[in-house]
Amino acid sequence: MAQICFEDALSAYIRFREVSRLSMTTVKHLRYMLSFCKREYPGDPWLTQDKIDRWGTRRPGESGTTQASRVGPLNAFIDYLNRRNGFPFSPVPLEKKNAAGDPVLFTESELCNLFRACDEAEVIRSHGFVHDAQLLNMLEFPVIFRLLYSSGMRGCEARLLSTSDVDMENGIVHIRHGKGYDEHVVVLHETMLALIRKYDAMMERLMPSRLPFFPDWKGRCHPKDWLAYHFRRLWGKYNERRGVVVYSLRHHYAVHNVNAMPNRGYEITEELLALSRSMGHRSLDSTLYYYHLVPKFADIYGEIMGDTLQHTIPEP
């Protein structure tokens, strides 16, 4: 196998993430690893499996969550190298977390409370002026959280949308910055499309020729924790239930759509394939997981969890 200089590869990876408008917050862990390797392997600039395994090993007293925060960025870096250069590096295995249990399913009242809080966002004058961030939040909250609810998008997919990704005429959203390297499309419901068009028209007047579809007050994509922070705040304004996160909107979308499907036993239907593609799932196993949360499918979930789960979603 050809050798690769760790520092050069990391610099190329950072440029890739910058150009792709991916979050840069986790890159610090890779820089920590580079410093570790320079200290522990002086004069050896090559990235090796031994260095990967040594850095990724869980440390004494370290929690699984802390280890995952260190190793997750490394595994993403390894995936990038393997895909781009054909290196057979192995990612560091992590314990699967299941502390959250089954996904949270919303009641109609809870959803109404959430969107009520989104619609009530307002600007507050401080020292005689209104900060642009407050004005943008007032415009963006009612749209972005309804978009997540109605489309099943991941939070990062909505947050990193550019204006060129949204086909305003046909109501099609091109997801180019999702999980991994897979791109897919989402078709908007007509009511969501109407809201998107209204929002876009207002944003064009406020911030002409913007690039991000949901920009911050500096015209950039919002940082990674922006959605999570404001979702918690808006959710807790009128709802009492805890343990609900912004990703729960995606879970609710999946379960709602599975529940609306006809019960045809073990048949892989067009509706199921369409749902998998729309949600950006690489294979049907991720989509079929939601079967056990739907009463009418719970009895066949165990059977479906056999060979069918290994079927890759075919191309249309």
Side-chain angles (χ1 to χ4, degrees):
M1 181 182 77
Q3 291 182 309
I4 181 171
C5 175
F6 185 4
E7 189 165 10
D8 291 346
L10 179 56
S11 296
Y13 178 62
I14 291 174
R15 289 195 298 272
F16 160 75
R17 294 190 69 89
E18 289 174 340
V19 170
S20 302
R21 296 190 293 115
L22 298 174
S23 172
M24 303 299 293
T25 57
T26 58
V27 169
K28 63 181 181 181
H29 294 287
L30 294 174
R31 292 195 175 104
Y32 295 154
M33 179 182 173
L34 177 61
S35 298
F36 166 82
C37 290
K38 286 182 175 181
R39 183 177 67 253
E40 296 295 318
Y41 301 86
D44 178 5
W46 313 114
L47 180 64
T48 64
Q49 189 66 49
D50 175 67
K51 294 178 182 179
I52 292 171
D53 293 339
R54 186 175 173 190
W55 173 260
T57 299
R58 188 167 174 176
R59 299 165 183 173
E62 184 178 42
S63 68
T65 300
T66 303
Q67 182 199 20
S69 69
R70 288 191 305 106
V71 174
L74 172 58
N75 285 344
F77 178 48
I78 291 171
D79 185 54
Y80 165 85
L81 293 176
N82 291 346
R83 286 173 176 267
R84 293 297 181 93
N85 303 291
F87 291 105
F89 291 126
S90 299
V92 178
L94 293 171
E95 296 180 7
K96 291 187 176 180
K97 296 181 292 182
N98 193 33
D102 286 337
V104 172
L105 304 181
F106 300 110
T107 66
E108 183 175 351
S109 175
E110 287 175 331
L111 288 171
C112 289
N113 286 339
L114 171 63
F115 296 131
R116 174 187 171 193
C118 290
D119 296 338
E120 290 177 349
E122 59 183 358
V123 296
I124 302 174
R125 289 189 176 275
S126 178
H127 304 290
F129 69 93
V130 174
H131 198 284
D132 290 343
Q134 291 185 355
L135 181 57
L136 287 174
N137 286 345
M138 183 180 69
L139 295 176
E140 292 178 355
F141 288 165
V143 181
I144 194 168
F145 289 112
R146 282 182 171 89
L147 179 62
L148 294 174
Y149 163 72
S150 66
S151 68
M153 287 185 194
R154 299 178 178 92
C156 64
E157 294 172 348
R159 183 173 54 83
L160 297 177
L161 280 177
S162 66
T163 53
S164 61
D165 294 332
V166 184
D167 183 342
M168 212 70 63
E169 180 178 352
N170 299 303
I172 297 175
V173 179
H174 297 267
I175 306 298
R176 310 186 195 280
H177 304 286
K179 186 177 181 180
Y181 300 86
D182 295 329
E183 297 184 6
H184 60 284
V185 298
V186 172
V187 179
L188 299 177
H189 188 274
E190 58 183 14
T191 56
M192 189 68 232
L193 178 57
L195 183 60
I196 284 286
R197 288 171 174 166
K198 182 179 179 181
Y199 161 79
D200 187 62
M202 290 189 293
M203 286 299 301
E204 276 300 305
R205 292 194 294 270
L206 181 67
M207 193 178 290
S209 302
R210 76 193 191 282
L211 295 180
F213 196 74
F214 297 107
D216 66 8
W217 66 280
K218 293 183 178 181
R220 305 170 303 188
C221 290
H222 288 286
K224 185 178 180 180
D225 58 353
W226 179 81
L227 269 178
Y229 168 77
H230 286 295
F231 178 84
R232 288 194 301 270
R233 187 173 61 82
L234 294 167
W235 172 264
K237 185 173 182 179
Y238 296 115
N239 291 311
E240 297 182 357
R241 184 157 47 141
R242 297 294 175 259
V244 181
V245 295
V246 68
Y247 203 85
S248 300
L249 292 169
R250 178 172 166 86
H251 288 314
H252 184 89
Y253 173 85
V255 173
H256 176 78
N257 278 273
V258 170
N259 193 47
M261 292 179 186
N263 188 347
R264 299 177 186 171
Y266 313 118
E267 181 182 352
I268 303 302
T269 65
E270 293 182 359
E271 294 93 339
L272 182 61
L273 293 175
L275 177 62
S276 290
R277 295 192 187 102
S278 175
M279 296 190 69
H281 289 157
R282 290 186 179 183
S283 62
L284 284 175
D285 57 346
S286 297
T287 315
L288 288 171
Y289 163 75
Y290 294 101
Y291 267 53
H292 86 285
L293 300 176
V294 178
K296 69 178 180 179
F297 287 115
D299 58 338
I300 65 171
Y301 176 71
E303 296 294 336
I304 291 178
M305 287 293 288
D307 295 337
T308 306
L309 277 183
Q310 305 307 319
H311 294 177
T312 301
I313 301 174
E315 292 298 325

